[in-house]
Amino acid sequence: MGTPTPGEPFAEATSEAVQTSVMAMRLVMAIADAVRRHKQEQEGKEEELPPAKEAVAEAAVGIKGMLATDISAALTASADWPQMAQQLVALRRAGVDMGDFLPRVGDLAVTVRDAVATNEARVKREGTGQWEKLLRETLPAGPVREAILSSPLWPDIAATMGRLEEKGVDVRQVLVAAHTEGVGVDQAVGRVLSAGEAPATSKDAMLSYGPLTTGLDVPRNFAHSDRARALRQLAISPQENERYMRLVREAMPGREREADLLVAANRWPLLAARMARMDDEGKPLGDHLARLMKDTSWEQGPGTQVGSRLVLAVNDALRKPLAESAATGTGVNTAAARARSSTVGPTKAAGAKGAAPAEAAVAAHREAAPAPARGKTR
């Protein structure tokens, strides 16, 4: 079987709205013909359907100009058009006014077509969230995953994964194979473009090393300065991002301004990635975020830096086990979080004799990329 060019697998989806409208017309025609037969049978004057060849020629002329062009073309190209043509001609010969009947059926078909098209667009916009989650769980961060999520065909790719799953295909296994091939393509193209130069770690990625990235799957070319791209690189869907922002705002009642500063911070995508990981593990995000109002030490300090302090406080609140907080009766210690951060200079207290050593943290960027997960777990 030949390899299809981009876009070919989605041709059927493109015409789905029109095909559905024809399906609706087929239903109306079948019902109308059943009523004709029943009425004629009651009167003892039932007429058989006209020959198919004759009916096709007569019906083709009859529907001209009465149906939308795309619906008319799909109707006459369908495999059961001869039978529908027979029904149309039989209805006309039985006394049904086609000039009145067909336009009404055509209006119904247009309504169905437009409704399906609108729903299809909505599904494409909103239905990719579960597949971004699957990519996050299955593929390591890197050029292949980013290429998938940044592709203009991503909604169609997600829809295709959905159809494969409906047919019993292990989509994870397909993704693992596609990732292997994608890495090969990326490396081959990279050798030509850069003559074998090793990919450099981005400035944003280096500045993010530390507690904010510990345990997260972050690519070497991470770019938190570009919010939309950063979320794609971390496989966070727009719907997930909106949910995490909402959870933060709900956890900080009366602190709307501070919550807005937090979600506007350039390192917010890393917090969203940590929340997504916890979400995948079934951890209660609300309980962790509730710590922000139990310990408000993040309020202490210059007002211009409250967003940065909140980033550290949220990261600490998310990473600390709930059992630890309950046992000690303490909440988030923002000063300690700043002392552990590789992106915020330590305070005098942190550098003083006897201060607790900084937490050992190996950023995900410095570790080997995790092998793609195998086996369907959802």
Side-chain angles (χ1 to χ4, degrees), residues 283-295:
K283 295 181 179 178
L285 292 176
D287 292 346
H288 282 268
L289 293 173
R291 293 166 165 169
L292 295 174
M293 297 305 293
K294 294 178 181 177
D295 180 351

Side-chain angles (χ1 to χ4, degrees), residues 162-186:
R163 288 194 289 271
L164 288 173
E165 184 180 60
E166 288 174 359
K167 294 183 180 296
V169 176
D170 187 345
V171 178
R172 290 178 185 270
Q173 185 176 358
V174 175
L175 284 176
V176 169
H179 178 266
T180 301
E181 298 304 321
V183 168
V185 171
D186 179 75

Side-chain angles (χ1 to χ4, degrees), residues 196-239:
E197 295 179 7
T201 302
S202 69
K203 181 180 178 181
D204 284 350
M206 289 188 290
L207 290 175
S208 299
Y209 289 153
L212 284 174
T213 57
T214 299
L216 295 183
D217 185 20
V218 183
R220 292 182 180 277
N221 63 340
F222 180 63
H224 62 58
S225 53
D226 183 340
R227 172 66 61 94
R229 184 188 177 195
L231 291 170
R232 283 199 305 270
Q233 288 181 306
L234 298 170
I236 307 297
S237 71
Q239 293 76 28

Side-chain angles (χ1 to χ4, degrees), residues 87-310:
Q87 292 171 340
L88 278 170
V89 172
L91 287 169
R92 186 187 64 78
R93 294 179 180 179
V96 176
D97 184 352
M98 289 293 109
D100 185 41
F101 175 79
L102 272 178
R104 287 202 307 273
V105 177
D107 287 344
L108 170 65
V110 167
T111 300
V112 171
R113 179 198 65 190
D114 294 347
V116 172
T118 300
N119 185 63
E120 189 77 10
R122 180 187 60 78
V123 169
K124 284 188 175 183
R125 287 193 306 270
E126 302 177 359
T128 61
Q130 65 168 314
W131 303 113
E132 287 177 78
K133 180 177 182 292
L134 184 68
L135 286 178
R136 184 170 66 239
E137 295 173 347
T138 307
L139 305 185
V144 176
R145 193 171 78 181
E146 184 180 356
I148 295 171
L149 294 173
S150 62
S151 169
L153 289 178
W154 165 235
D156 292 319
I157 293 172
T160 300
M161 289 195 288
R163 288 194 289 271
L164 288 173
E165 184 180 60
E166 288 174 359
K167 294 183 180 296
V169 176
D170 187 345
V171 178
R172 290 178 185 270
Q173 185 176 358
V174 175
L175 284 176
V176 169
H179 178 266
T180 301
E181 298 304 321
V183 168
V185 171
D186 179 75
Q187 293 174 345
V189 175
R191 283 193 294 270
V192 174
L193 296 178
S194 60
E197 295 179 7
T201 302
S202 69
K203 181 180 178 181
D204 284 350
M206 289 188 290
L207 290 175
S208 299
Y209 289 153
L212 284 174
T213 57
T214 299
L216 295 183
D217 185 20
V218 183
R220 292 182 180 277
N221 63 340
F222 180 63
H224 62 58
S225 53
D226 183 340
R227 172 66 61 94
R229 184 188 177 195
L231 291 170
R232 283 199 305 270
Q233 288 181 306
L234 298 170
I236 307 297
S237 71
Q239 293 76 28
E240 287 177 311
N241 187 51
E242 287 291 334
R243 176 170 174 264
Y244 301 143
M245 290 193 294
R246 185 178 68 253
L247 287 175
V248 164
R249 292 190 173 101
E250 290 174 353
M252 300 176 66
R255 302 293 202 283
E256 289 79 11
R257 174 182 171 275
E258 290 82 355
D260 288 342
L261 289 173
L262 169 63
V263 299
N266 59 10
R267 288 178 175 78
W268 165 258
L270 293 172
L271 295 179
R274 190 169 299 285
M275 284 191 267
R277 178 181 175 184
M278 294 174 68
D279 232 358
D280 295 343
E281 295 170 350
K283 295 181 179 178
L285 292 176
D287 292 346
H288 282 268
L289 293 173
R291 293 166 165 169
L292 295 174
M293 297 305 293
K294 294 178 181 177
D295 180 351
T296 57
S297 59
W298 49 266
E299 292 181 320
Q300 302 168 11
T304 56
Q305 297 176 13
V306 67
S308 298
R309 293 196 300 272
L310 266 171

Side-chain angles (χ1 to χ4, degrees), residues 21 35 48 249 373:
S21 70
V35 173
E48 294 298 323
R249 292 190 173 101

